[in-house]
Amino acid sequence: MRAAEQVLVIFGDQLMRDHPGLALLDPERDAVLMMEVDAEQQEGPSHKQRTALFFAAMRHYALELIERGIRVRYVRVEARANTQSFGGEVERAVAALSPTKLLAMFPGDRRVLDEIESWADRFKIEVDLLDDPHFFTTPDQFSAWAADRKSLVMEYWYREQRKATGYLMDATGKPAGGEWNYDKDNRQSFKKTPTPRPPYRPQVDEITRDVIDLVNARYAEAPGTLDADTFIWPVDADQAHRALDGFIGKRLARFGPYEDAMWTEQPFLYHSMLSSSLNLHLLDPRVCCEKAIAAYEAGAAPLNSVEGFVRQLIGWREYIRGVYWHEDAGYRDRNFLDQHGRLPDFYWTADTDMACLRDCLGAVVEHSWSHHIPRLMVICNFAMIAGVHPRAVGDWFYGMYVDSLDWATTPNTIGMGMHADGVRAATKSGKATGVERWPVVGTKPYAASGKYISRMSNYCEHCRYDLKKRAGDPDDDSPPCPFNVFYWDFLIRHEALFSANNRMAMIMKNVHRMKPQEKTQVTVSATKYRQRLGIE
Protein backbone atom coordinates (compact mmCIF):
# COMPACT_ATOMS: atom_id res chain seq x y z
CA MET A 1 0.00 0.00 0.00
CA ARG A 2 1.32 3.43 -0.93
CA ALA A 3 2.10 6.11 1.66
CA ALA A 4 -0.71 7.96 3.46
CA GLU A 5 -0.69 11.42 5.02
CA GLN A 6 -3.30 10.51 7.64
CA VAL A 7 -4.20 7.09 9.01
CA LEU A 8 -7.53 6.66 10.79
CA VAL A 9 -7.49 3.74 13.23
CA ILE A 10 -10.93 2.14 13.60
CA PHE A 11 -11.40 -0.43 16.33
CA GLY A 12 -13.83 -3.34 16.24
CA ASP A 13 -16.44 -1.63 18.42
CA GLN A 14 -16.55 1.56 16.29
CA LEU A 15 -18.21 0.29 13.11
CA MET A 16 -20.48 3.25 12.46
CA ARG A 17 -21.15 4.23 8.86
CA ASP A 18 -20.88 7.90 9.80
CA HIS A 19 -17.68 7.51 11.81
CA PRO A 20 -16.47 11.09 12.40
CA GLY A 21 -12.96 10.30 11.24
CA LEU A 22 -14.10 9.34 7.75
CA ALA A 23 -15.15 12.92 6.98
CA LEU A 24 -11.60 14.05 7.70
CA LEU A 25 -9.98 11.74 5.16
CA ASP A 26 -8.99 12.42 1.58
CA PRO A 27 -9.41 9.11 -0.27
CA GLU A 28 -6.49 9.98 -2.53
CA ARG A 29 -4.02 10.66 0.27
CA ASP A 30 -5.26 8.98 3.45
CA ALA A 31 -6.11 5.48 4.69
CA VAL A 32 -7.97 3.52 7.37
CA LEU A 33 -6.27 0.92 9.57
CA MET A 34 -8.32 -1.95 11.00
CA MET A 35 -6.81 -4.80 13.00
CA GLU A 36 -7.83 -8.24 14.14
CA VAL A 37 -5.53 -9.15 17.02
CA ASP A 38 -4.92 -12.08 19.33
CA ALA A 39 -4.41 -9.75 22.29
CA GLU A 40 -8.05 -10.06 23.42
CA GLN A 41 -7.49 -13.76 24.05
CA GLN A 42 -4.73 -12.84 26.47
CA GLU A 43 -7.21 -10.91 28.62
CA GLY A 44 -8.80 -14.26 29.44
CA PRO A 45 -10.94 -16.86 27.66
CA SER A 46 -13.26 -15.27 25.10
CA HIS A 47 -16.40 -17.03 23.88
CA LYS A 48 -16.03 -18.25 20.31
CA GLN A 49 -19.15 -16.35 19.23
CA ARG A 50 -17.88 -13.11 20.71
CA THR A 51 -14.63 -13.37 18.78
CA ALA A 52 -16.42 -14.44 15.60
CA LEU A 53 -18.85 -11.52 15.80
CA PHE A 54 -16.05 -8.97 16.13
CA PHE A 55 -14.06 -10.39 13.21
CA ALA A 56 -17.07 -10.91 10.94
CA ALA A 57 -18.45 -7.42 11.62
CA MET A 58 -15.05 -5.84 11.04
CA ARG A 59 -14.56 -7.65 7.72
CA HIS A 60 -17.99 -6.60 6.48
CA TYR A 61 -17.36 -3.01 7.54
CA ALA A 62 -13.96 -2.91 5.83
CA LEU A 63 -15.53 -4.08 2.58
CA GLU A 64 -18.16 -1.34 2.85
CA LEU A 65 -15.41 1.24 3.23
CA ILE A 66 -13.57 -0.10 0.20
CA GLU A 67 -16.79 0.04 -1.83
CA ARG A 68 -17.05 3.72 -0.81
CA GLY A 69 -13.62 4.35 -2.29
CA ILE A 70 -11.73 4.48 1.01
CA ARG A 71 -8.30 2.87 1.26
CA VAL A 72 -8.18 0.26 4.02
CA ARG A 73 -5.17 -1.48 5.50
CA TYR A 74 -6.85 -4.49 7.06
CA VAL A 75 -4.85 -6.91 9.20
CA ARG A 76 -6.34 -10.39 9.41
CA VAL A 77 -5.47 -12.38 12.46
CA GLU A 78 -4.40 -15.39 10.41
CA ALA A 79 -1.88 -13.24 8.53
CA ARG A 80 0.41 -13.15 11.57
CA ALA A 81 2.10 -16.22 12.97
CA ASN A 82 2.99 -14.35 16.16
CA THR A 83 0.52 -12.98 18.67
CA GLN A 84 0.00 -9.38 17.67
CA SER A 85 -1.35 -6.38 19.56
CA PHE A 86 -2.91 -3.07 18.58
CA GLY A 87 0.33 -1.25 19.28
CA GLY A 88 2.36 -3.68 17.22
CA GLU A 89 0.07 -3.35 14.22
CA VAL A 90 -0.01 0.45 14.45
CA GLU A 91 3.78 0.40 14.51
CA ARG A 92 3.83 -1.72 11.36
CA ALA A 93 1.35 0.62 9.67
CA VAL A 94 3.37 3.72 10.56
CA ALA A 95 6.52 2.10 9.16
CA ALA A 96 4.75 1.05 5.95
CA LEU A 97 2.66 4.18 5.27
CA SER A 98 4.80 6.96 6.77
CA PRO A 99 1.83 9.11 7.86
CA THR A 100 2.17 12.54 9.45
CA LYS A 101 -0.91 12.06 11.64
CA LEU A 102 -2.87 9.29 13.30
CA LEU A 103 -6.59 9.68 14.01
CA ALA A 104 -8.64 7.60 16.43
CA MET A 105 -12.05 7.85 18.07
CA PHE A 106 -12.45 7.77 21.85
CA PRO A 107 -12.48 4.03 22.72
CA GLY A 108 -14.55 1.91 25.07
CA ASP A 109 -11.66 0.48 27.08
CA ARG A 110 -9.07 2.11 29.33
CA ARG A 111 -6.36 -0.18 27.97
CA VAL A 112 -7.04 1.03 24.45
CA LEU A 113 -7.12 4.68 25.53
CA ASP A 114 -3.74 4.22 27.23
CA GLU A 115 -2.46 2.68 23.99
CA ILE A 116 -3.69 5.59 21.87
CA GLU A 117 -2.21 8.14 24.26
CA SER A 118 1.20 6.46 23.94
CA TRP A 119 1.39 6.78 20.16
CA ALA A 120 2.60 10.37 19.94
CA ASP A 121 5.76 9.70 21.94
CA ARG A 122 6.21 6.15 20.70
CA PHE A 123 5.99 6.95 16.99
CA LYS A 124 6.94 10.65 17.09
CA ILE A 125 3.73 11.54 15.29
CA GLU A 126 0.73 13.81 15.74
CA VAL A 127 -2.31 12.02 17.17
CA ASP A 128 -5.87 13.39 17.14
CA LEU A 129 -8.42 11.79 19.48
CA LEU A 130 -11.99 12.33 18.24
CA ASP A 131 -15.16 12.35 20.33
CA ASP A 132 -17.52 9.40 19.93
CA PRO A 133 -20.87 10.81 18.72
CA HIS A 134 -22.61 7.45 19.08
CA PHE A 135 -23.50 8.19 22.70
CA PHE A 136 -25.93 10.83 23.95
CA THR A 137 -23.43 12.18 26.49
CA THR A 138 -19.69 12.39 27.03
CA PRO A 139 -17.68 11.16 30.02
CA ASP A 140 -16.97 14.79 30.93
CA GLN A 141 -20.70 15.60 31.01
CA PHE A 142 -21.30 12.66 33.34
CA SER A 143 -18.45 13.68 35.63
CA ALA A 144 -19.80 17.23 35.77
CA TRP A 145 -23.21 15.84 36.78
CA ALA A 146 -21.60 13.54 39.36
CA ALA A 147 -19.38 16.20 40.91
CA ASP A 148 -22.08 17.73 43.11
CA ARG A 149 -23.73 14.48 44.19
CA LYS A 150 -23.12 12.35 47.26
CA SER A 151 -24.41 9.27 45.45
CA LEU A 152 -24.82 8.55 41.75
CA VAL A 153 -28.44 7.40 41.49
CA MET A 154 -29.26 6.29 37.96
CA GLU A 155 -32.90 7.40 38.15
CA TYR A 156 -31.92 11.04 38.56
CA TRP A 157 -29.46 10.81 35.66
CA TYR A 158 -32.16 9.20 33.53
CA ARG A 159 -34.68 11.98 34.19
CA GLU A 160 -32.17 14.59 33.07
CA GLN A 161 -31.59 12.65 29.86
CA ARG A 162 -35.34 12.47 29.22
CA LYS A 163 -35.51 16.25 29.51
CA ALA A 164 -32.42 16.74 27.33
CA THR A 165 -33.66 14.48 24.53
CA GLY A 166 -37.37 15.25 24.84
CA TYR A 167 -38.09 11.53 24.60
CA LEU A 168 -41.48 10.60 26.05
CA MET A 169 -42.06 14.14 27.33
CA ASP A 170 -45.31 16.00 26.80
CA ALA A 171 -45.76 19.59 25.66
CA THR A 172 -45.73 20.89 29.24
CA GLY A 173 -42.34 19.34 30.02
CA LYS A 174 -43.78 16.48 32.06
CA PRO A 175 -43.16 12.77 31.44
CA ALA A 176 -45.63 10.99 29.18
CA GLY A 177 -48.35 9.33 31.21
CA GLY A 178 -47.41 11.33 34.29
CA GLU A 179 -44.70 8.93 35.52
CA TRP A 180 -40.96 8.82 34.87
CA ASN A 181 -40.63 5.10 35.44
CA TYR A 182 -43.05 2.19 34.91
CA ASP A 183 -41.03 -0.56 36.58
CA LYS A 184 -43.98 -1.38 38.81
CA ASP A 185 -45.85 -2.56 35.71
CA ASN A 186 -42.91 -4.57 34.39
CA ARG A 187 -42.50 -7.37 36.93
CA GLN A 188 -44.96 -9.96 35.68
CA SER A 189 -44.12 -13.64 35.46
CA PHE A 190 -45.55 -16.23 33.11
CA LYS A 191 -48.44 -18.40 34.24
CA LYS A 192 -48.00 -20.77 31.32
CA THR A 193 -45.43 -21.44 28.61
CA PRO A 194 -44.90 -18.19 26.65
CA THR A 195 -44.99 -18.15 22.85
CA PRO A 196 -42.93 -15.12 21.76
CA ARG A 197 -42.23 -14.41 18.10
CA PRO A 198 -38.66 -15.48 17.31
CA PRO A 199 -35.99 -12.80 16.88
CA TYR A 200 -34.63 -11.85 13.48
CA ARG A 201 -31.94 -14.27 12.37
CA PRO A 202 -29.48 -12.98 9.77
CA GLN A 203 -28.34 -15.11 6.91
CA VAL A 204 -24.77 -16.32 7.44
CA ASP A 205 -22.79 -15.41 4.33
CA GLU A 206 -19.45 -16.67 3.07
CA ILE A 207 -17.47 -14.02 4.96
CA THR A 208 -19.01 -14.99 8.27
CA ARG A 209 -18.66 -18.71 7.53
CA ASP A 210 -14.96 -18.20 6.88
CA VAL A 211 -14.62 -16.38 10.19
CA ILE A 212 -16.49 -19.15 12.02
CA ASP A 213 -14.11 -21.74 10.56
CA LEU A 214 -11.14 -19.55 11.50
CA VAL A 215 -12.24 -19.07 15.10
CA ASN A 216 -13.04 -22.74 15.60
CA ALA A 217 -9.57 -23.65 14.31
CA ARG A 218 -7.44 -20.87 15.80
CA TYR A 219 -9.20 -20.72 19.17
CA ALA A 220 -10.29 -24.32 19.49
CA GLU A 221 -9.87 -24.29 23.28
CA ALA A 222 -11.97 -21.16 23.76
CA PRO A 223 -15.27 -21.59 25.64
CA GLY A 224 -18.73 -21.74 24.13
CA THR A 225 -20.18 -23.22 20.96
CA LEU A 226 -19.92 -21.74 17.47
CA ASP A 227 -21.67 -23.04 14.39
CA ALA A 228 -22.89 -21.38 11.20
CA ASP A 229 -26.31 -22.99 11.60
CA THR A 230 -26.91 -21.40 15.01
CA PHE A 231 -25.02 -18.07 14.74
CA ILE A 232 -27.71 -15.40 15.19
CA TRP A 233 -25.87 -12.07 15.49
CA PRO A 234 -26.04 -9.19 12.98
CA VAL A 235 -22.65 -8.50 11.42
CA ASP A 236 -23.44 -5.29 9.51
CA ALA A 237 -25.67 -2.24 9.83
CA ASP A 238 -28.34 -3.52 7.44
CA GLN A 239 -28.79 -6.70 9.46
CA ALA A 240 -28.80 -4.73 12.70
CA HIS A 241 -31.61 -2.49 11.44
CA ARG A 242 -33.64 -5.52 10.39
CA ALA A 243 -33.16 -6.92 13.89
CA LEU A 244 -34.39 -3.61 15.34
CA ASP A 245 -37.45 -3.57 13.09
CA GLY A 246 -38.21 -7.16 14.05
CA PHE A 247 -38.13 -6.30 17.73
CA ILE A 248 -40.28 -3.19 17.33
CA GLY A 249 -42.85 -5.02 15.24
CA LYS A 250 -42.97 -8.41 16.98
CA ARG A 251 -41.84 -8.24 20.61
CA LEU A 252 -41.74 -4.67 21.95
CA ALA A 253 -45.40 -4.66 22.96
CA ARG A 254 -44.86 -7.47 25.48
CA PHE A 255 -41.29 -6.58 26.40
CA GLY A 256 -42.21 -4.34 29.33
CA PRO A 257 -44.53 -6.55 31.39
CA TYR A 258 -42.26 -9.59 31.04
CA GLU A 259 -38.79 -8.04 30.93
CA ASP A 260 -37.91 -9.60 34.31
CA ALA A 261 -39.44 -13.02 33.64
CA MET A 262 -37.56 -16.24 32.83
CA TRP A 263 -38.64 -19.57 31.35
CA THR A 264 -36.85 -22.87 30.76
CA GLU A 265 -35.15 -23.12 27.34
CA GLN A 266 -36.47 -19.71 26.25
CA PRO A 267 -33.54 -17.31 26.63
CA PHE A 268 -34.80 -14.65 24.18
CA LEU A 269 -38.49 -14.18 25.13
CA TYR A 270 -39.53 -10.58 24.30
CA HIS A 271 -36.10 -8.94 24.58
CA SER A 272 -34.58 -6.83 21.84
CA MET A 273 -31.21 -8.65 21.64
CA LEU A 274 -29.75 -5.46 20.15
CA SER A 275 -26.96 -4.93 22.66
CA SER A 276 -24.20 -6.40 20.50
CA SER A 277 -25.23 -4.28 17.51
CA LEU A 278 -25.37 -1.18 19.67
CA ASN A 279 -22.03 -1.86 21.31
CA LEU A 280 -20.32 -2.41 17.95
CA HIS A 281 -21.91 0.87 16.76
CA LEU A 282 -23.85 -0.91 14.01
CA LEU A 283 -27.00 0.70 15.44
CA ASP A 284 -27.55 4.28 16.56
CA PRO A 285 -29.35 4.35 19.94
CA ARG A 286 -31.27 7.45 18.78
CA VAL A 287 -32.83 5.46 15.95
CA CYS A 288 -33.76 2.69 18.40
CA CYS A 289 -35.44 5.10 20.80
CA GLU A 290 -37.26 7.03 18.10
CA LYS A 291 -38.66 3.90 16.43
CA ALA A 292 -39.89 2.60 19.77
CA ILE A 293 -41.50 5.95 20.59
CA ALA A 294 -43.13 6.01 17.15
CA ALA A 295 -44.64 2.60 17.91
CA TYR A 296 -46.08 3.99 21.16
CA GLU A 297 -47.49 7.05 19.43
CA ALA A 298 -49.07 4.85 16.78
CA GLY A 299 -50.72 2.69 19.44
CA ALA A 300 -48.63 -0.36 18.54
CA ALA A 301 -46.81 -0.65 21.88
CA PRO A 302 -47.80 0.34 25.43
CA LEU A 303 -46.04 3.10 27.33
CA ASN A 304 -44.57 0.81 30.00
CA SER A 305 -42.80 -1.28 27.32
CA VAL A 306 -41.49 1.71 25.41
CA GLU A 307 -40.41 3.62 28.51
CA GLY A 308 -38.55 0.54 29.78
CA PHE A 309 -36.70 0.18 26.49
CA VAL A 310 -35.86 3.89 26.26
CA ARG A 311 -34.64 3.85 29.87
CA GLN A 312 -32.22 1.05 29.03
CA LEU A 313 -30.68 3.18 26.28
CA ILE A 314 -30.62 6.79 27.49
CA GLY A 315 -30.63 5.94 31.19
CA TRP A 316 -28.83 2.79 32.15
CA ARG A 317 -26.47 2.46 29.16
CA GLU A 318 -25.27 6.06 29.35
CA TYR A 319 -25.07 5.90 33.15
CA ILE A 320 -22.92 2.75 33.14
CA ARG A 321 -20.54 4.26 30.60
CA GLY A 322 -20.35 7.43 32.68
CA VAL A 323 -19.50 5.47 35.83
CA TYR A 324 -16.79 3.53 33.98
CA TRP A 325 -14.93 6.67 32.92
CA HIS A 326 -15.70 8.64 36.09
CA GLU A 327 -14.21 6.03 38.42
CA ASP A 328 -10.49 5.27 38.63
CA ALA A 329 -8.50 2.63 36.77
CA GLY A 330 -8.64 0.28 39.76
CA TYR A 331 -12.42 -0.11 39.51
CA ARG A 332 -12.19 -3.57 37.96
CA ASP A 333 -10.28 -4.88 41.01
CA ARG A 334 -12.50 -3.50 43.75
CA ASN A 335 -13.71 -6.01 46.32
CA PHE A 336 -15.92 -4.11 48.78
CA LEU A 337 -17.31 -7.27 50.43
CA ASP A 338 -13.83 -8.83 50.74
CA GLN A 339 -14.84 -12.07 49.02
CA HIS A 340 -12.20 -14.44 47.65
CA GLY A 341 -13.94 -17.62 46.52
CA ARG A 342 -13.15 -19.39 43.25
CA LEU A 343 -15.60 -19.28 40.33
CA PRO A 344 -17.13 -22.76 39.93
CA ASP A 345 -16.08 -24.71 36.85
CA PHE A 346 -19.69 -25.15 35.75
CA TYR A 347 -19.84 -21.46 34.80
CA TRP A 348 -17.92 -22.43 31.65
CA THR A 349 -19.95 -25.54 30.82
CA ALA A 350 -23.42 -25.19 32.45
CA ASP A 351 -22.86 -28.71 33.83
CA THR A 352 -24.76 -28.33 37.11
CA ASP A 353 -27.82 -29.91 38.71
CA MET A 354 -29.22 -26.52 39.75
CA ALA A 355 -31.98 -26.03 37.17
CA CYS A 356 -31.86 -22.23 37.08
CA LEU A 357 -28.09 -22.03 36.63
CA ARG A 358 -28.08 -24.89 34.15
CA ASP A 359 -30.57 -23.08 31.94
CA CYS A 360 -29.13 -19.56 32.32
CA LEU A 361 -25.52 -20.63 31.87
CA GLY A 362 -26.54 -22.97 29.07
CA ALA A 363 -27.88 -19.99 27.13
CA VAL A 364 -24.52 -18.26 27.50
CA VAL A 365 -22.57 -21.33 26.38
CA GLU A 366 -24.87 -21.81 23.37
CA HIS A 367 -25.58 -18.20 22.38
CA SER A 368 -23.05 -16.03 24.26
CA TRP A 369 -26.02 -14.09 25.60
CA SER A 370 -28.80 -13.95 28.17
CA HIS A 371 -31.08 -11.12 29.16
CA HIS A 372 -30.51 -8.89 32.17
CA ILE A 373 -32.36 -10.88 34.84
CA PRO A 374 -30.45 -14.16 34.36
CA ARG A 375 -27.28 -12.06 34.34
CA LEU A 376 -28.10 -10.15 37.52
CA MET A 377 -30.44 -12.29 39.60
CA VAL A 378 -29.20 -15.79 38.78
CA ILE A 379 -25.60 -15.79 37.52
CA CYS A 380 -24.22 -12.77 39.44
CA ASN A 381 -26.48 -13.30 42.43
CA PHE A 382 -25.26 -16.85 42.95
CA ALA A 383 -21.60 -15.85 42.69
CA MET A 384 -22.04 -12.93 45.07
CA ILE A 385 -23.92 -14.75 47.81
CA ALA A 386 -21.60 -17.76 47.50
CA GLY A 387 -18.58 -15.51 48.15
CA VAL A 388 -16.83 -15.64 44.76
CA HIS A 389 -14.14 -13.03 44.09
CA PRO A 390 -15.74 -10.21 42.05
CA ARG A 391 -12.83 -9.95 39.59
CA ALA A 392 -13.30 -13.63 38.67
CA VAL A 393 -16.96 -12.93 37.91
CA GLY A 394 -16.16 -9.75 36.00
CA ASP A 395 -13.58 -11.55 33.86
CA TRP A 396 -16.06 -14.34 33.13
CA PHE A 397 -18.73 -11.90 31.98
CA TYR A 398 -16.19 -9.96 29.92
CA GLY A 399 -15.18 -13.07 28.03
CA MET A 400 -18.46 -14.94 27.74
CA TYR A 401 -20.97 -12.38 26.45
CA VAL A 402 -21.23 -11.39 22.81
CA ASP A 403 -22.08 -7.79 23.77
CA SER A 404 -19.22 -7.45 26.23
CA LEU A 405 -17.02 -4.35 26.25
CA ASP A 406 -15.08 -3.14 29.26
CA TRP A 407 -17.08 0.08 29.69
CA ALA A 408 -20.35 -1.87 29.72
CA THR A 409 -19.41 -5.09 31.45
CA THR A 410 -17.22 -3.93 34.32
CA PRO A 411 -19.65 -1.53 36.07
CA ASN A 412 -22.52 -3.93 35.48
CA THR A 413 -20.70 -6.84 37.12
CA ILE A 414 -18.32 -5.30 39.66
CA GLY A 415 -20.87 -2.64 40.59
CA MET A 416 -24.43 -3.81 40.02
CA GLY A 417 -23.96 -7.58 40.08
CA MET A 418 -21.33 -8.10 42.78
CA HIS A 419 -21.84 -4.99 44.96
CA ALA A 420 -18.08 -4.67 44.96
CA ASP A 421 -17.39 -1.12 43.78
CA GLY A 422 -17.27 0.54 47.19
CA VAL A 423 -14.10 1.14 49.19
CA ARG A 424 -13.50 -0.20 52.68
CA ALA A 425 -11.58 1.68 55.33
CA ALA A 426 -8.62 -0.22 56.76
CA THR A 427 -6.69 -0.35 60.01
CA LYS A 428 -2.92 -0.05 60.15
CA SER A 429 -2.75 -3.83 59.86
CA GLY A 430 -4.61 -3.64 56.57
CA LYS A 431 -7.70 -5.45 57.80
CA ALA A 432 -10.94 -4.06 56.37
CA THR A 433 -13.07 -2.44 59.05
CA GLY A 434 -15.41 0.44 58.30
CA VAL A 435 -16.56 2.03 55.05
CA GLU A 436 -14.59 4.72 53.26
CA ARG A 437 -17.09 4.87 50.40
CA TRP A 438 -20.29 2.93 49.85
CA PRO A 439 -20.76 1.14 46.50
CA VAL A 440 -21.42 3.39 43.53
CA VAL A 441 -23.83 1.59 41.19
CA GLY A 442 -26.07 -0.25 43.64
CA THR A 443 -27.41 1.25 46.86
CA LYS A 444 -27.89 -2.30 48.14
CA PRO A 445 -26.68 -5.74 47.05
CA TYR A 446 -28.97 -7.45 44.53
CA ALA A 447 -29.07 -10.62 46.59
CA ALA A 448 -32.01 -13.02 46.50
CA SER A 449 -32.91 -16.50 47.66
CA GLY A 450 -34.54 -19.23 45.63
CA LYS A 451 -37.95 -17.70 46.32
CA TYR A 452 -37.27 -14.85 43.90
CA ILE A 453 -36.22 -17.27 41.17
CA SER A 454 -39.30 -19.40 41.78
CA ARG A 455 -41.55 -16.34 41.54
CA MET A 456 -40.04 -15.13 38.24
CA SER A 457 -39.56 -18.46 36.44
CA ASN A 458 -40.50 -22.11 36.19
CA TYR A 459 -36.98 -23.33 37.02
CA CYS A 460 -37.79 -24.62 40.47
CA GLU A 461 -40.39 -27.00 39.04
CA HIS A 462 -37.57 -28.95 37.41
CA CYS A 463 -35.00 -28.89 40.22
CA ARG A 464 -33.95 -31.51 42.77
CA TYR A 465 -33.33 -28.99 45.54
CA ASP A 466 -35.84 -28.17 48.27
CA LEU A 467 -36.97 -24.57 47.99
CA LYS A 468 -38.42 -24.60 51.51
CA LYS A 469 -35.12 -25.31 53.27
CA ARG A 470 -32.38 -22.81 54.07
CA ALA A 471 -29.98 -25.22 55.78
CA GLY A 472 -29.12 -28.89 55.55
CA ASP A 473 -26.63 -31.35 54.11
CA PRO A 474 -25.92 -31.41 50.35
CA ASP A 475 -26.06 -35.22 50.52
CA ASP A 476 -29.60 -35.36 51.88
CA ASP A 477 -32.24 -36.99 49.70
CA SER A 478 -33.89 -33.58 49.50
CA PRO A 479 -31.06 -31.07 49.95
CA PRO A 480 -31.75 -27.36 50.57
CA CYS A 481 -31.72 -24.97 47.64
CA PRO A 482 -28.14 -23.62 47.40
CA PHE A 483 -29.53 -20.15 46.71
CA ASN A 484 -31.34 -20.26 50.05
CA VAL A 485 -28.30 -21.48 51.93
CA PHE A 486 -25.93 -18.97 50.38
CA TYR A 487 -28.41 -16.09 50.68
CA TRP A 488 -28.78 -16.42 54.44
CA ASP A 489 -25.09 -17.16 54.88
CA PHE A 490 -24.31 -14.01 52.88
CA LEU A 491 -26.46 -11.88 55.18
CA ILE A 492 -24.94 -13.49 58.27
CA ARG A 493 -21.35 -13.03 57.04
CA HIS A 494 -21.95 -9.34 56.33
CA GLU A 495 -24.40 -8.67 59.15
CA ALA A 496 -22.55 -5.72 60.66
CA LEU A 497 -21.94 -4.04 57.31
CA PHE A 498 -25.47 -4.47 55.96
CA SER A 499 -27.04 -3.35 59.23
CA ALA A 500 -25.60 0.09 58.50
CA ASN A 501 -27.45 0.23 55.15
CA ASN A 502 -30.94 1.73 55.49
CA ARG A 503 -32.20 -0.15 52.42
CA MET A 504 -31.26 -3.44 54.10
CA ALA A 505 -32.90 -2.65 57.44
CA MET A 506 -36.02 -4.79 57.01
CA ILE A 507 -34.29 -7.96 55.85
CA MET A 508 -31.53 -7.58 58.45
CA LYS A 509 -34.16 -7.63 61.20
CA ASN A 510 -34.86 -11.23 60.16
CA VAL A 511 -31.16 -12.02 60.51
CA HIS A 512 -31.01 -10.40 63.95
CA ARG A 513 -33.94 -12.58 65.08
CA MET A 514 -32.19 -15.81 64.10
CA LYS A 515 -31.01 -17.90 67.02
CA PRO A 516 -27.27 -18.66 67.21
CA GLN A 517 -27.98 -22.32 66.46
CA GLU A 518 -29.87 -21.38 63.30
CA LYS A 519 -27.01 -19.18 62.11
CA THR A 520 -24.54 -21.97 62.76
CA GLN A 521 -26.63 -24.43 60.75
CA VAL A 522 -26.71 -22.05 57.80
CA THR A 523 -22.98 -21.33 58.05
CA VAL A 524 -22.08 -25.04 58.19
CA SER A 525 -24.36 -25.80 55.22
CA ALA A 526 -22.83 -22.97 53.18
CA THR A 527 -19.31 -24.22 53.92
CA LYS A 528 -20.24 -27.72 52.74
CA TYR A 529 -21.79 -26.36 49.55
CA ARG A 530 -18.76 -24.18 48.81
CA GLN A 531 -16.48 -27.16 49.25
CA ARG A 532 -18.72 -29.34 47.09
CA LEU A 533 -18.83 -26.73 44.30
CA GLY A 534 -15.10 -25.94 44.41
CA ILE A 535 -15.63 -22.35 45.53
CA GLU A 536 -13.41 -22.59 48.63
Side-chain angles (χ1 to χ4, degrees), residues 78 115 121 204 215 231 234 285 356 361 372 410 450 452 476 492 517 526:
E78 66 268 35
E115 175 70 43
D121 289 338
V204 176
V215 170
F231 189 79
C356 57
L361 291 169
H372 65 281
T410 298
Y452 172 86
D476 288 349
I492 292 168
Q517 182 180 1

Side-chain angles (χ1 to χ4, degrees), residues 64-133:
E64 284 191 24
L65 294 183
I66 292 169
E67 290 172 356
R68 290 164 60 179
I70 298 168
R71 279 201 294 158
V72 179
R73 178 184 172 92
Y74 191 94
V75 180
R76 293 190 176 212
V77 72
E78 66 268 35
R80 299 275 188 255
N82 60 314
T83 299
Q84 69 270 51
S85 64
F86 291 134
E89 291 308 321
V90 173
E91 184 174 11
R92 286 187 175 98
V94 169
L97 303 178
S98 302
T100 58
K101 180 187 289 188
L102 292 173
L103 307 173
M105 191 167 72
F106 192 87
D109 190 312
R110 287 185 182 275
R111 292 177 300 116
V112 179
L113 180 60
D114 290 344
E115 175 70 43
I116 295 170
E117 291 179 338
S118 75
W119 293 346
D121 289 338
R122 180 175 176 181
F123 306 127
K124 308 304 178 187
I125 194 172
E126 183 181 352
V127 177
D128 279 359
L129 185 63
L130 311 174
D131 287 337
D132 183 350

Side-chain angles (χ1 to χ4, degrees), residues 391-411:
R391 177 63 189 262
V393 180
D395 288 350
W396 181 85
F397 269 89
Y398 182 80
M400 288 297 283
Y401 276 85
V402 73
D403 54 16
S404 174
L405 295 171
D406 199 31
W407 70 261
T409 304
T410 298

